[in-house]
């Protein structure tokens, strides 16, 4: 937990670059990686060339990539120029892959050996790799340019020196370097404890990804869910300046403005009724708000089931039905509560009738919320859209527009 | 990707238990684990004792645990009784730990050796372990009952046969068996590619957790975020029946009802004004809705930064200020749009003035949304509450109550 304190101190320091360099060598990378992106950039800008070189110098190529990926192009090239050629080339190659792809996740801790190689020669090869890099490699076995698999842990210690790699090789999953990180995650879901080989277009091995490399991806995905859900651009960070925040969010707000005006238009239809019974305006946020809440609940449950592959539009009838029924039941509970309160506090003129209108509207709107809360994500998923991003808009539109329509329509019919 | 199809087929089958057993042996576990929990329980109930035994028989103890953890107690004991005693004891021990704790995550693929043990004796030990279990173990090194660390990958192949374990041991992180899974995750965040030792209260090694075991936890956390955010009970599944759904959600809806009534009370203060200018009711959902959207955006960004440890109440002044400023700017953009539209479509009686009131209210409400959207999660985090769960309530209350107050108050002052 030491680095946790370290990165917080660096983030709060008046000179974060100096604070990073004051950190013990072995904690620097972990502290740096946990800094918010805007502070990482500040640090990289502020570090002198010598300090940045000292920082990057001790790191493995994939670690150096994760630092330099945030640096501007000039800084990056100056540093690479001053490292020894072999390392600089490795880092440069890793930097060339999209950060959100298999290539961007992989490291270079692997050797490839041919299937007919004897175990003692492989051990020698691995020994050289380890003394050069300080890392123990994954041992991929290839034949005629195709990957056969990898040697399981412990093979070198267990096998006879003149056995061949072929006798021990076990298949490993592989992905192409340009596959998205979420695809890589899907591969790990099926093969928890293995390494995944990253292949070039011609089938040769470019790198290796371990489960630990994926933890960061899954955490990003976790954060992204809430971001998508609220329409915030993925790259935004809490410490960004106001203008970055505005840019990251205004599109979503404008889209929602459309929804809001649609709801407003429905209310506008009942202007005369509201002028006569102004208390209706007070209950409008109650009916619409509860519908919105219930709808996003149904949506959250459905979106999660879709993302875990547990349900699709084809198998979703049961989900939609259960959500609609659950909505109606919750509507009856909430509706009864609201009806009693409304009856108690409203003027003698409407009393019980107003309570009944609010209560019945609540049942209807929560049923609507459950139905659309389940249906819309399933449909969006079916047509290839991301259900987490766009579903809220449609669901809120449904609960607002239909909610106001039912409530004000019923009020006009019953109370006037 | 074969298992992905398999688990979907099982989930949709009329007899899911038979469909699971029809699945090839090696795909069964992966398919089972990806089924929604209610279907897993249905399958376990429907499987005959012999089939369940056949399913569990081929599995490692930690895999068997993950199957039997969903079975009822009687089934569980019947199956354990029919397995050989050593395996049954291991599975039983693993089942005794809380599923969300380090003990519930760990597996038993480890050996412990004393620091003075020579490499060739360790190799022999590992060979026996592997031939018995089919798995290569993590090799923990202990001295006087305390864990010193583990042997890095490849040590057995690289070291001389009469070297001692002590010469190669490297420290590994450890956690107590009763620590929560989120704590284990925090340990991995600092030590991406290592194994974590799980210790008993007396410091002896109980098991080992690898990064791959954590992927499921992180995915659960990801799903939970959206659940917390919308007030759905963590255990709810899309395929649950209506009554389970009602139970999982009604508390949240009732809490929100309180918020809604608070907003309604504010609107009630302006009943006379609304009776005179009923068109105000149409703009109410616009002002409140946009405030709610902007507030949850600010909240999503702040909650994510808190969960990544990037910001706390002590260091959050910059976040709150930036959010408030960003809110005001977005308010000006949206406000100008709304003002133009409101002026264009409203009756000649109010025209420009109504537009101005709506526009100014939008600026005020989005500033309020940004301010509270950042402040509230930081305060909740400071007082030890989960910001994702409770923040929305407070933020919606702030944007609804203050939003209506500003809008209707301004309208009453300017338009009457």
């Amino acid at each position: 937990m030491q680095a946790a304190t370290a990165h917080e101190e660096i983030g709060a320091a008046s000179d974060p670059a100096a604070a990073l360099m004051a950190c013990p060598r072995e904690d620097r990378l972990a502290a740096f990686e946990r800094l918010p992106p805007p502070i990482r950039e500040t640090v990289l800008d502020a570090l002198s060339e010598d300090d940045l070189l000292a920082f990057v110098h001790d790191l493995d190529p994939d670690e150096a990539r994760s630092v330099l990926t945030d640096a501007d192009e000039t800084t990056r090239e100056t540093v690479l120029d001053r490292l020894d050629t072999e390392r600089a080339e490795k880092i440069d190659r890793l930097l060339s892959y999209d950060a959100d792809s298999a290539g961007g996740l992989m490291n270079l801790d692997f050797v490839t050996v041919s299937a007919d190689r004897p175990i003692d020669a492989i051990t020698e090869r691995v020994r050289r790799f380890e003394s050069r890099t300080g890392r123990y490699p994954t041992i991929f076995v290839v034949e005629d340019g195709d990957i056969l698999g990898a040697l399981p842990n412990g093979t070198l210690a267990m096998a006879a020196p003149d056995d061949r790699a072929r006798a021990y090789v076990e298949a490993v999953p592989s992905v192409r370097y340009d596959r998205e990180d979420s695809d890589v995650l899907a591969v790990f879901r099926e093969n928890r404890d293995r390494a995944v080989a990253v292949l070039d277009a011609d089938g040769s091995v470019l790198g290796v990804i371990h489960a630990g490399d994926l933890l960061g991806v899954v955490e990003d995905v976790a954060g992204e869910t809430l971001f998508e859900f609220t329409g915030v651009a993925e790259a935004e960070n809490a410490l960004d300046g106001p203008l970055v925040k505005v840019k990251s969010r205004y599109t979503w707000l404008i889209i929602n403005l459309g929804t809001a005006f649609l709801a407003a238009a429905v209310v506008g239809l009942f202007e005369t009724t509201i002028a006569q019974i102004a208390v209706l305006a007070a209950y409008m946020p109650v009916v619409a708000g509860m519908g919105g809440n219930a709808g996003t609940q149904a949506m959250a449950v459905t979106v999660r089931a879709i993302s875990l592959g547990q349900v699709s539009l084809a198998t979703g009838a049961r989900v939609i039905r259960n959500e609609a029924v659950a909505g109606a039941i919750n509507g009856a509970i909430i509706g009864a509560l609201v009806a009693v309160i409304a009856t108690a506090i409203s003027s003698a003129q409407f009393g019980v009738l107003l309570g009944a209108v609010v209560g019945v509207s609540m049942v209807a709107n929560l049923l609507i919320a459950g139905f659309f809360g389940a249906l819309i994500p399933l449909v969006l998923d079916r047509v290839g859209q991301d259900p987490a991003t766009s579903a809220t808009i449609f669901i809120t539109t449904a609960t607002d527009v239909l909610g106001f329509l039912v409530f004000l329509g019923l009020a006009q019919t019953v109370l006037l």
Side-chain angles (χ1 to χ4, degrees), chain A:
Chain A
M1 298 279 95
Q2 210 175 354
T5 326
H7 87 265
E8 276 172 5
E9 275 171 18
I10 296 168
S14 59
D15 183 352
L20 178 72
M21 296 312 288
C23 206
R25 235 155 224 266
E26 63 275 18
D27 295 341
R28 255 180 228 159
L29 180 69
F32 179 81
E33 286 187 332
R34 298 196 62 190
L35 291 174
I39 303 217
R40 281 211 290 268
E41 282 164 31
T42 314
V43 166
L44 288 175
D45 284 346
L47 278 179
S48 72
E49 205 179 287
D50 286 343
D51 275 348
L52 182 55
L53 196 69
F55 179 22
V56 169
H57 194 269
D58 302 329
L59 302 177
D60 287 311
D62 58 311
E63 295 172 336
R65 163 191 52 189
S66 107
V67 173
L68 291 177
T69 200
D70 289 322
D72 62 66
E73 192 124 355
T74 329
T75 317
R76 204 189 274 182
E77 279 177 15
T78 323
V79 171
L80 288 180
D81 276 350
R82 291 181 57 183
L83 290 170
D84 75 76
T85 325
E86 196 199 326
R87 270 168 54 81
E89 267 171 18
K90 279 188 182 171
I91 298 169
D92 201 37
R93 181 146 45 92
L94 289 175
L95 279 167
S96 71
Y97 300 109
D98 184 348
D100 298 328
S101 71
L105 285 170
M106 73 187 190
N107 62 64
L108 303 175
D109 299 332
F110 71 96
V111 294
T112 53
V113 300
S114 84
D116 293 321
R117 205 75 177 282
I119 295 294
D120 55 358
I122 299 173
T123 306
E124 194 40 45
R125 175 85 191 283
V126 167
R127 199 189 297 277
R128 284 202 309 273
F129 182 96
E130 212 187 8
S131 73
R132 200 177 68 235
T133 64
R135 296 244 187 162
Y136 187 78
T138 300
I139 307 160
F140 290 118
V141 180
V142 296
E143 185 166 52
D144 302 331
D146 288 331
I147 181 168
L148 296 183
L151 293 186
N153 270 334
T155 305
L156 298 187
M158 307 288 142
D162 54 354
D163 280 351
R164 309 280 151 161
R166 184 191 306 284
Y168 297 93
V169 63
E170 282 186 4
V172 288
S174 64
V175 293
R176 246 178 73 137
Y177 71 97
D178 53 1
R179 291 285 291 278
E180 276 184 37
D181 51 10
S182 54
D183 293 338
V184 180
L185 187 59
V187 173
F188 270 98
R189 258 195 222 116
E190 306 293 326
N191 307 273
R192 285 268 149 112
D193 41 16
R194 305 258 187 105
V196 167
V198 180
L199 305 183
D200 207 347
D202 66 1
S204 61
V205 182
L206 291 175
V208 57
I209 301 176
H210 296 102
D213 302 319
L214 264 293
L215 286 176
V217 174
V218 191
E219 287 201 306
D220 279 353
V221 172
E224 281 164 22
T225 309
L226 208 50
F227 272 38
E228 285 171 354
F229 187 72
T230 58
V232 174
E234 210 179 285
E236 194 194 312
N237 183 276
L239 291 160
D240 283 331
L243 289 179
V244 177
K245 287 176 186 292
V246 168
K247 235 176 111 182
S248 138
R249 305 183 197 168
Y250 77 97
T251 320
W252 177 261
L253 292 175
I254 290 176
I255 295 172
N256 274 277
L257 189 60
T259 297
F261 265 111
L262 216 58
V266 172
V267 177
L269 296 177
F270 297 92
E271 219 178 299
T272 336
T273 310
I274 294 171
Q276 291 173 266
I277 320 173
V279 70
L280 292 179
Y283 287 100
M284 278 169 43
V286 179
V287 174
M290 299 312 292
N293 281 320
T296 50
Q297 287 186 324
M299 186 205 115
V301 173
T302 311
V303 165
R304 186 190 202 179
I306 292 172
S307 77
L308 294 175
Q310 293 175 344
V311 69
S312 66
L313 187 56
T315 58
R318 180 170 151 195
V319 176
I320 298 170
R321 196 177 53 237
N322 287 355
E323 286 295 345
V325 175
I329 299 175
N330 264 329
I333 298 173
I334 304 293
L337 257 171
V338 174
V340 170
I341 301 175
T343 307
I345 64 176
S346 72
S347 62
Q349 194 194 346
F350 300 112
V352 180
L353 266 187
L354 176 62
V357 167
V358 179
V360 171
S361 305
M362 197 62 81
V363 177
N365 204 22
L366 264 60
L367 188 155
I368 290 166
F371 178 79
F372 285 102
L375 175 70
I376 291 172
L378 288 167
V379 170
L380 287 171
D381 177 55
R382 175 59 180 271
V383 299
Q385 294 292 310
D386 179 348
T389 314
S390 13
T392 33
I393 305 261
F394 293 108
I395 294 169
T396 318
T397 306
T399 54
D400 274 6
V401 168
L402 296 177
F404 287 141
L405 204 61
V406 169
F407 172 57
L408 295 173
L410 207 59
Q412 183 171 292
T413 314
V414 175
L415 302 181
L416 281 190

